[in-house]
Amino acid sequence: MKNNLAKFCFDKDKCIACGKCIKVCPGQLLKFNENKDVIIKDIDCFGWDGCWKCQHCMAVCPKSAISVLGKSPEECVTPPESENLPQILDALIKNRRSHRQYLNKDVDKRVLDDILKTVQNAPNGGNKGLVEYTVIDDKEQVKYFHDIVYSKMEKLANKGIYANGYDKKSYEQLKEWEKIVRPDMLFCSAPNLCIPHAPVGEGCYIQDVNIACVYFDLLCSSRGLGSIMMTYPLDVLDLMPKEKSMLGIPDNHYIAMIIGFGYPKIKYKRGVDKFNENKIKKLKFKI
């Protein structure tokens, strides 16, 4: 092949010519040649008109005969075989809570690095992988940023200027909650912050960012961390462009929420069931 931009490699000795890699390639780049070897079309780009970087071809091969993008089957993760997986995932989702009180300590860097590595496998439109993650993993840095924003927020409130959707009454209610339920109305005392974001107008940027937030949140829960998905701080930061720019996020990037996370001060003992049959609408068409 003339242009193997995707670094596609095929091992003829392992291949059984099942054709699964050809069937799952979203860009329809693969085919058999006259010798039943799997070959890839010449491409000069990644994306819609080239390789999608999805690695479907390598993931589906039953004989580990394909490598792509400089990665090999040996680097892949095998599917878990536990019969208890449905129960484990159900329990994870049902036990996930919004935490508003945390221990004053940073999340272990190895744990956070593992989360950030895994979350980039979250589904995204066209597999473009445009979501970026701005992370503050130092509680002192979070406190520094918090104090600047909080002080400005109070000065604006004294002038009758509140975040979008809030007024004097609701602002004072948040302040009241700080005495018991929410010690910090801005970041809920979270020692670390994560902000997924993506360029506006590219790919499915709104859906991609929201999905990334949910995946990050669940990954935190799976590791015993508390987390909370917050929109109020974003509304506050919209009132103060200078302070918002401290995050270093491009102005043309979409942000859905700020995720606070850390080791929870209060641990929950059980998950609850919020199922409501009336919220399920099963469609049936007349055929």
Side-chain angles (χ1 to χ4, degrees):
M1 59 193 74
K2 297 179 181 179
N3 186 359
N4 189 8
L5 184 65
K7 297 180 181 179
F8 179 86
C9 296
F10 159 78
D11 190 331
K12 184 176 179 63
D13 294 334
K14 293 181 179 180
C15 179
I16 58 175
C18 65
K20 291 181 179 178
C21 58
I22 296 173
K23 294 176 181 178
V24 300
C25 177
Q28 296 185 316
L29 302 179
L30 306 180
K31 64 179 181 179
F32 285 126
N33 65 9
E34 63 275 6
N35 299 318
K36 275 292 184 176
D37 295 334
V38 180
I39 61 174
I40 187 171
K41 297 177 183 177
D42 288 338
I43 56 173
D44 56 11
C45 69
F46 292 109
W48 191 265
D49 296 318
C51 173
W52 287 32
K53 293 186 178 181
C54 62
Q55 305 176 53
H56 280 337
C57 55
M58 180 170 64
V60 79
C61 181
K63 295 298 181 179
S64 302
I66 291 174
S67 297
V68 68
L69 300 172
K71 301 178 182 180
S72 67
E74 291 72 27
E75 299 175 76
C76 296
V77 179
T78 56
E81 298 179 355
S82 172
E83 295 181 357
N84 298 322
L85 279 177
Q87 295 91 331
I88 292 173
L89 185 56
D90 290 353
L92 177 65
I93 291 174
K94 290 181 179 180
N95 278 277
R96 182 269 162 200
R97 314 297 299 178
S98 291
H99 289 263
R100 295 177 175 85
Q101 298 185 41
Y102 296 85
L103 299 179
N104 186 31
K105 60 183 292 189
D106 291 323
V107 170
D108 186 290
K109 296 296 187 291
R110 292 169 297 180
V111 174
L112 179 55
D113 288 346
D114 186 48
I115 291 174
L116 291 171
K117 180 179 179 180
T118 303
V119 74
Q120 293 185 47
N121 291 280
N124 57 95
N127 202 52
K128 294 182 181 296
L130 297 174
V131 178
E132 300 176 21
Y133 300 84
T134 293
V135 179
I136 308 180
D137 60 359
D138 183 325
K139 61 185 179 64
E140 297 303 325
Q141 291 287 308
V142 172
K143 184 179 184 305
Y144 174 77
F145 182 62
H146 167 278
D147 290 349
I148 291 173
V149 176
Y150 198 101
S151 176
K152 182 71 171 288
M153 176 186 71
E154 288 196 309
K155 289 178 180 178
L156 291 173
N158 289 333
K159 297 178 180 179
I161 301 173
Y162 305 98
N164 183 42
Y166 290 80
D167 54 18
K168 180 178 175 61
K169 180 180 179 180
S170 54
Y171 182 83
E172 290 178 348
Q173 187 176 36
L174 286 176
K175 295 288 288 185
E176 188 67 24
W177 287 347
E178 284 189 315
K179 298 176 181 178
I180 301 178
V181 181
R182 189 195 306 248
D184 167 31
M185 63 189 284
L186 188 61
F187 292 150
C188 295
S189 75
N192 300 147
L193 303 176
C194 176
I195 312 173
H197 51 94
V200 172
E202 296 188 33
C204 301
Y205 65 96
I206 294 177
Q207 294 89 337
D208 292 351
V209 169
N210 280 280
I211 291 172
C213 289
V214 173
Y215 267 58
F216 185 91
D217 185 75
L218 285 176
L219 285 167
C220 284
S221 183
S222 72
R223 287 153 173 82
L225 299 175
S227 59
I228 182 165
M229 296 188 278
M230 306 174 287
T231 57
Y232 176 70
L234 285 181
D235 294 330
V236 170
L237 285 168
D238 282 340
L239 298 175
M240 46 187 85
K242 180 181 177 181
E243 286 74 12
K244 187 176 182 179
S245 69
M246 292 173 64
L247 295 172
I249 299 174
D251 292 338
N252 67 330
H253 276 216
Y254 170 76
I255 305 172
M257 61 195 76
I258 294 177
I259 306 171
F261 64 99
Y263 297 102
K265 181 179 289 187
I266 300 174
K267 294 186 177 181
Y268 292 85
K269 295 298 183 181
R270 61 195 59 83
V272 299
D273 194 342
K274 299 180 180 180
F275 175 71
N276 184 338
E277 187 175 2
N278 295 325
K279 294 182 178 180
I280 308 298
K281 312 297 180 183
K282 295 183 179 180
L283 293 179
K284 288 187 178 180
F285 299 103
K286 293 182 179 180
I287 301 176

Short mmCIF file of all heavy atoms in Angstrom, two decimals, residues 158-196:
data_model
loop_
_atom_site.label_atom_id
_atom_site.label_comp_id
_atom_site.label_asym_id
_atom_site.label_seq_id
_atom_site.Cartn_x
_atom_site.Cartn_y
_atom_site.Cartn_z
N ASN A 158 -23.42 41.83 46.64
CA ASN A 158 -23.67 43.05 47.41
C ASN A 158 -24.19 44.19 46.53
O ASN A 158 -24.82 45.13 47.01
CB ASN A 158 -22.39 43.50 48.13
CG ASN A 158 -22.02 42.57 49.28
OD1 ASN A 158 -22.89 41.92 49.86
ND2 ASN A 158 -20.74 42.50 49.62
N LYS A 159 -23.91 44.05 45.22
CA LYS A 159 -24.40 45.04 44.27
C LYS A 159 -25.71 44.58 43.60
O LYS A 159 -26.21 45.24 42.70
CB LYS A 159 -23.36 45.30 43.18
CG LYS A 159 -22.05 45.89 43.70
CD LYS A 159 -21.06 46.07 42.56
CE LYS A 159 -19.75 46.65 43.05
NZ LYS A 159 -18.76 46.79 41.94
N GLY A 160 -26.22 43.43 44.07
CA GLY A 160 -27.47 42.91 43.50
C GLY A 160 -27.26 42.17 42.19
O GLY A 160 -28.20 41.99 41.42
N ILE A 161 -26.03 41.72 41.95
CA ILE A 161 -25.73 40.98 40.71
C ILE A 161 -25.51 39.51 41.07
O ILE A 161 -24.63 39.17 41.86
CB ILE A 161 -24.47 41.53 40.03
CG1 ILE A 161 -24.66 43.01 39.69
CG2 ILE A 161 -24.14 40.73 38.77
CD1 ILE A 161 -23.39 43.68 39.16
N TYR A 162 -26.36 38.65 40.49
CA TYR A 162 -26.31 37.22 40.81
C TYR A 162 -26.14 36.39 39.54
O TYR A 162 -26.38 36.86 38.43
CB TYR A 162 -27.59 36.80 41.54
CG TYR A 162 -27.88 37.62 42.77
CD1 TYR A 162 -28.78 38.68 42.72
CD2 TYR A 162 -27.24 37.35 43.98
CE1 TYR A 162 -29.05 39.46 43.85
CE2 TYR A 162 -27.50 38.11 45.12
CZ TYR A 162 -28.40 39.17 45.04
OH TYR A 162 -28.64 39.92 46.15
N ALA A 163 -25.74 35.15 39.74
CA ALA A 163 -25.57 34.23 38.61
C ALA A 163 -26.91 34.01 37.93
O ALA A 163 -27.98 34.17 38.54
CB ALA A 163 -25.01 32.90 39.10
N ASN A 164 -26.86 33.65 36.67
CA ASN A 164 -28.07 33.42 35.88
C ASN A 164 -28.98 32.40 36.58
O ASN A 164 -28.55 31.32 36.96
CB ASN A 164 -27.68 32.90 34.50
CG ASN A 164 -28.90 32.72 33.61
OD1 ASN A 164 -29.79 33.55 33.58
ND2 ASN A 164 -28.93 31.61 32.88
N GLY A 165 -30.25 32.78 36.74
CA GLY A 165 -31.22 31.90 37.38
C GLY A 165 -31.32 32.08 38.88
O GLY A 165 -32.13 31.41 39.53
N TYR A 166 -30.50 32.94 39.45
CA TYR A 166 -30.52 33.18 40.89
C TYR A 166 -30.90 34.62 41.19
O TYR A 166 -30.70 35.52 40.36
CB TYR A 166 -29.15 32.86 41.51
CG TYR A 166 -28.83 31.39 41.53
CD1 TYR A 166 -28.35 30.76 40.38
CD2 TYR A 166 -29.04 30.62 42.67
CE1 TYR A 166 -28.07 29.40 40.38
CE2 TYR A 166 -28.76 29.26 42.68
CZ TYR A 166 -28.28 28.66 41.53
OH TYR A 166 -28.01 27.32 41.53
N ASP A 167 -31.46 34.82 42.37
CA ASP A 167 -31.80 36.16 42.82
C ASP A 167 -31.36 36.29 44.28
O ASP A 167 -30.71 35.38 44.83
CB ASP A 167 -33.30 36.44 42.67
CG ASP A 167 -34.17 35.39 43.36
OD1 ASP A 167 -33.64 34.65 44.22
OD2 ASP A 167 -35.36 35.31 43.04
N LYS A 168 -31.71 37.38 44.91
CA LYS A 168 -31.30 37.63 46.30
C LYS A 168 -31.76 36.51 47.23
O LYS A 168 -30.98 36.01 48.05
CB LYS A 168 -31.86 38.97 46.78
CG LYS A 168 -31.49 39.33 48.22
CD LYS A 168 -32.06 40.69 48.60
CE LYS A 168 -31.80 41.03 50.06
NZ LYS A 168 -30.36 41.08 50.39
N LYS A 169 -33.01 36.07 47.06
CA LYS A 169 -33.56 35.04 47.94
C LYS A 169 -32.82 33.71 47.79
O LYS A 169 -32.43 33.09 48.78
CB LYS A 169 -35.05 34.85 47.65
CG LYS A 169 -35.71 33.80 48.53
CD LYS A 169 -37.19 33.66 48.20
CE LYS A 169 -37.84 32.58 49.07
NZ LYS A 169 -39.29 32.42 48.75
N SER A 170 -32.62 33.27 46.55
CA SER A 170 -31.97 31.99 46.33
C SER A 170 -30.49 32.04 46.71
O SER A 170 -29.93 31.06 47.20
CB SER A 170 -32.12 31.55 44.87
OG SER A 170 -31.67 32.56 43.99
N TYR A 171 -29.87 33.20 46.51
CA TYR A 171 -28.47 33.36 46.91
C TYR A 171 -28.33 33.25 48.42
O TYR A 171 -27.44 32.57 48.93
CB TYR A 171 -27.93 34.70 46.43
CG TYR A 171 -26.47 34.93 46.75
CD1 TYR A 171 -25.47 34.42 45.95
CD2 TYR A 171 -26.09 35.67 47.88
CE1 TYR A 171 -24.12 34.62 46.25
CE2 TYR A 171 -24.76 35.89 48.19
CZ TYR A 171 -23.77 35.36 47.37
OH TYR A 171 -22.45 35.56 47.68
N GLU A 172 -29.22 33.90 49.14
CA GLU A 172 -29.19 33.85 50.60
C GLU A 172 -29.49 32.44 51.10
O GLU A 172 -28.99 32.03 52.16
CB GLU A 172 -30.16 34.86 51.19
CG GLU A 172 -29.71 36.31 50.97
CD GLU A 172 -30.70 37.32 51.51
OE1 GLU A 172 -31.83 36.91 51.83
OE2 GLU A 172 -30.32 38.50 51.61
N GLN A 173 -30.31 31.72 50.34
CA GLN A 173 -30.60 30.33 50.72
C GLN A 173 -29.33 29.47 50.60
O GLN A 173 -29.04 28.65 51.47
CB GLN A 173 -31.69 29.75 49.83
CG GLN A 173 -32.17 28.37 50.25
CD GLN A 173 -33.33 27.88 49.41
OE1 GLN A 173 -33.40 28.15 48.22
NE2 GLN A 173 -34.25 27.17 50.02
N LEU A 174 -28.56 29.69 49.55
CA LEU A 174 -27.29 28.98 49.40
C LEU A 174 -26.35 29.30 50.55
O LEU A 174 -25.66 28.43 51.07
CB LEU A 174 -26.63 29.34 48.06
CG LEU A 174 -27.23 28.74 46.79
CD1 LEU A 174 -26.52 29.29 45.56
CD2 LEU A 174 -27.14 27.22 46.80
N LYS A 175 -26.33 30.56 50.94
CA LYS A 175 -25.48 30.98 52.05
C LYS A 175 -25.92 30.29 53.35
O LYS A 175 -25.09 29.92 54.17
CB LYS A 175 -25.55 32.50 52.23
CG LYS A 175 -24.97 33.31 51.06
CD LYS A 175 -23.46 33.22 51.01
CE LYS A 175 -22.82 34.01 52.12
NZ LYS A 175 -21.33 34.02 52.01
N GLU A 176 -27.22 30.13 53.50
CA GLU A 176 -27.75 29.47 54.69
C GLU A 176 -27.35 28.00 54.72
O GLU A 176 -27.02 27.46 55.77
CB GLU A 176 -29.27 29.61 54.72
CG GLU A 176 -29.93 29.14 56.01
CD GLU A 176 -29.57 30.01 57.21
OE1 GLU A 176 -29.22 31.19 57.03
OE2 GLU A 176 -29.65 29.49 58.34
N TRP A 177 -27.36 27.36 53.56
CA TRP A 177 -26.99 25.95 53.47
C TRP A 177 -25.52 25.72 53.83
O TRP A 177 -25.14 24.62 54.21
CB TRP A 177 -27.25 25.42 52.06
CG TRP A 177 -28.71 25.23 51.76
CD1 TRP A 177 -29.74 25.23 52.65
CD2 TRP A 177 -29.29 25.01 50.48
NE1 TRP A 177 -30.94 25.04 52.00
CE2 TRP A 177 -30.69 24.90 50.66
CE3 TRP A 177 -28.78 24.92 49.19
CZ2 TRP A 177 -31.57 24.68 49.61
CZ3 TRP A 177 -29.65 24.69 48.14
CH2 TRP A 177 -31.04 24.59 48.34
N GLU A 178 -24.71 26.76 53.69
CA GLU A 178 -23.29 26.62 54.03
C GLU A 178 -23.09 26.29 55.50
O GLU A 178 -22.05 25.75 55.89
CB GLU A 178 -22.53 27.91 53.69
CG GLU A 178 -22.25 28.09 52.21
CD GLU A 178 -21.32 29.25 51.94
OE1 GLU A 178 -21.51 30.33 52.54
OE2 GLU A 178 -20.40 29.08 51.12
N LYS A 179 -24.06 26.58 56.33
CA LYS A 179 -23.93 26.34 57.76
C LYS A 179 -24.00 24.85 58.11
O LYS A 179 -23.45 24.42 59.13
CB LYS A 179 -25.01 27.11 58.53
CG LYS A 179 -24.93 28.62 58.36
CD LYS A 179 -26.09 29.31 59.08
CE LYS A 179 -26.03 30.82 58.89
NZ LYS A 179 -27.17 31.51 59.54
N ILE A 180 -24.68 24.07 57.25
CA ILE A 180 -24.85 22.65 57.58
C ILE A 180 -24.60 21.73 56.38
O ILE A 180 -23.64 20.97 56.36
CB ILE A 180 -26.28 22.38 58.12
CG1 ILE A 180 -26.56 23.22 59.37
CG2 ILE A 180 -26.44 20.89 58.45
CD1 ILE A 180 -27.95 23.05 59.92
N VAL A 181 -25.44 21.83 55.38
CA VAL A 181 -25.45 20.85 54.29
C VAL A 181 -24.30 21.03 53.32
O VAL A 181 -23.65 20.08 52.90
CB VAL A 181 -26.79 20.93 53.52
CG1 VAL A 181 -26.80 19.90 52.39
CG2 VAL A 181 -27.95 20.70 54.46
N ARG A 182 -24.05 22.27 52.95
CA ARG A 182 -23.07 22.56 51.91
C ARG A 182 -22.09 23.60 52.46
O ARG A 182 -22.29 24.80 52.30
CB ARG A 182 -23.81 23.12 50.69
CG ARG A 182 -22.97 23.27 49.44
CD ARG A 182 -23.70 24.16 48.42
NE ARG A 182 -25.01 23.73 48.10
CZ ARG A 182 -25.37 23.24 46.90
NH1 ARG A 182 -24.49 23.14 45.94
NH2 ARG A 182 -26.61 22.87 46.66
N PRO A 183 -20.99 23.15 53.10
CA PRO A 183 -20.06 24.09 53.73
C PRO A 183 -19.48 25.12 52.77
O PRO A 183 -19.02 26.17 53.21
CB PRO A 183 -18.96 23.17 54.26
CG PRO A 183 -19.63 21.85 54.43
CD PRO A 183 -20.61 21.76 53.32
N ASP A 184 -19.52 24.81 51.48
CA ASP A 184 -19.01 25.74 50.48
C ASP A 184 -19.99 25.78 49.32
O ASP A 184 -20.15 24.81 48.59
CB ASP A 184 -17.62 25.29 50.01
CG ASP A 184 -17.16 26.01 48.75
OD1 ASP A 184 -17.55 27.18 48.57
OD2 ASP A 184 -16.42 25.40 47.96
N MET A 185 -20.67 26.89 49.16
CA MET A 185 -21.70 26.99 48.12
C MET A 185 -21.12 27.02 46.71
O MET A 185 -21.84 26.77 45.75
CB MET A 185 -22.54 28.24 48.33
CG MET A 185 -21.76 29.55 48.23
SD MET A 185 -22.72 31.00 48.74
CE MET A 185 -23.80 31.26 47.35
N LEU A 186 -19.82 27.31 46.58
CA LEU A 186 -19.23 27.46 45.26
C LEU A 186 -18.75 26.12 44.69
O LEU A 186 -19.23 25.68 43.65
CB LEU A 186 -18.07 28.45 45.31
CG LEU A 186 -17.47 28.86 43.97
CD1 LEU A 186 -18.52 29.53 43.08
CD2 LEU A 186 -16.27 29.78 44.18
N PHE A 187 -17.81 25.46 45.37
CA PHE A 187 -17.25 24.20 44.87
C PHE A 187 -17.59 23.01 45.77
O PHE A 187 -17.01 21.94 45.62
CB PHE A 187 -15.73 24.30 44.73
CG PHE A 187 -15.26 25.24 43.66
CD1 PHE A 187 -14.06 25.91 43.79
CD2 PHE A 187 -16.03 25.48 42.53
CE1 PHE A 187 -13.61 26.78 42.81
CE2 PHE A 187 -15.60 26.35 41.54
CZ PHE A 187 -14.39 27.01 41.67
N CYS A 188 -18.51 23.21 46.73
CA CYS A 188 -18.92 22.13 47.64
C CYS A 188 -17.75 21.51 48.37
O CYS A 188 -17.73 20.31 48.63
CB CYS A 188 -19.70 21.06 46.86
SG CYS A 188 -21.27 21.66 46.19
N SER A 189 -16.75 22.31 48.66
CA SER A 189 -15.55 21.92 49.41
C SER A 189 -14.70 20.87 48.71
O SER A 189 -13.80 20.28 49.32
CB SER A 189 -15.91 21.44 50.83
OG SER A 189 -16.47 20.15 50.83
N ALA A 190 -14.96 20.60 47.43
CA ALA A 190 -14.18 19.60 46.70
C ALA A 190 -12.72 20.04 46.61
O ALA A 190 -12.43 21.17 46.21
CB ALA A 190 -14.76 19.39 45.31
N PRO A 191 -11.78 19.15 46.94
CA PRO A 191 -10.37 19.53 46.89
C PRO A 191 -9.78 19.54 45.49
O PRO A 191 -8.76 20.18 45.24
CB PRO A 191 -9.70 18.45 47.75
CG PRO A 191 -10.59 17.25 47.59
CD PRO A 191 -11.98 17.80 47.48
N ASN A 192 -10.41 18.82 44.58
CA ASN A 192 -9.92 18.73 43.20
C ASN A 192 -11.06 18.98 42.22
O ASN A 192 -12.22 18.70 42.52
CB ASN A 192 -9.29 17.37 42.93
CG ASN A 192 -8.10 17.05 43.83
OD1 ASN A 192 -7.86 15.91 44.18
ND2 ASN A 192 -7.34 18.06 44.22
N LEU A 193 -10.72 19.49 41.05
CA LEU A 193 -11.73 19.83 40.04
C LEU A 193 -11.34 19.27 38.68
O LEU A 193 -10.16 19.19 38.34
CB LEU A 193 -11.89 21.34 39.92
CG LEU A 193 -12.26 22.13 41.18
CD1 LEU A 193 -12.26 23.63 40.87
CD2 LEU A 193 -13.61 21.70 41.72
N CYS A 194 -12.35 18.90 37.90
CA CYS A 194 -12.15 18.47 36.52
C CYS A 194 -13.19 19.15 35.64
O CYS A 194 -14.38 19.19 36.00
CB CYS A 194 -12.26 16.95 36.39
SG CYS A 194 -12.12 16.35 34.68
N ILE A 195 -12.76 19.69 34.50
CA ILE A 195 -13.68 20.38 33.59
C ILE A 195 -13.49 19.81 32.17
O ILE A 195 -12.56 20.19 31.47
CB ILE A 195 -13.44 21.89 33.57
CG1 ILE A 195 -13.35 22.45 34.98
CG2 ILE A 195 -14.54 22.60 32.77
CD1 ILE A 195 -12.94 23.91 35.05
N PRO A 196 -14.37 18.92 31.73
CA PRO A 196 -14.32 18.46 30.35
C PRO A 196 -14.84 19.56 29.42
O PRO A 196 -15.80 20.27 29.76
CB PRO A 196 -15.27 17.25 30.33
CG PRO A 196 -15.36 16.82 31.78
CD PRO A 196 -15.29 18.11 32.54
#
